[in-house]
Amino acid sequence: MAQTATKVLTTHVPLPLAEKVEQVAERMERSRAWIIKQALSAWLEQEEERERLTQEALADVDVGHVIAHQDVQAWADSLSTDKIMPVPC
């Protein structure tokens, strides 16, 4: 199996966060490094998805695919009534 190149990253974390990492590592019988790699990978994946969705939304705005604020407000206001409006589109 081929080895993946690695790089050491160093950071300071608040003691309560470090203690949580220690607790999870102990409970899962994994190393702190493994826990941190998993957390960092999940966070980066989430941020990449957030960026993708942001770019997709901005592209919609650029071509005029938007819903007027007043339409959304009217729909939201209707949610607390007996006559709920359909979701604007």
Side-chain angles (χ1 to χ4, degrees), residues 17-18 23 25 27 35 38 54 57 60 67-68 77:
L17 182 57
Q23 291 169 359
R27 185 183 77 242
I35 299 298
Q38 295 298 308
T54 298
D60 278 345
I67 300 172
D77 290 344

Side-chain angles (χ1 to χ4, degrees), residues 11-25:
T11 187
H12 291 266
V13 296
L15 285 176
L17 182 57
E19 289 168 1
K20 286 182 180 182
V21 171
E22 293 275 354
Q23 291 169 359
V24 171

Side-chain angles (χ1 to χ4, degrees), residues 3-19:
Q3 290 288 343
T4 302
T6 63
K7 181 176 184 175
V8 174
L9 301 175
T10 304
T11 187
H12 291 266
V13 296
L15 285 176
L17 182 57
E19 289 168 1

Side-chain angles (χ1 to χ4, degrees), residues 49-84:
E49 178 67 1
R50 184 186 330 264
E51 176 64 15
R52 185 190 68 75
L53 291 171
T54 298
Q55 294 306 316
E56 184 179 300
L58 290 171
D60 278 345
V61 170
D62 287 343
V63 296
H65 293 157
V66 296
I67 300 172
H69 174 76
Q70 296 85 351
D71 294 344
V72 174
Q73 188 65 55
W75 168 76
D77 290 344
S78 79
L79 295 176
S80 60
T81 71
D82 291 335
K83 292 188 175 187
I84 297 175

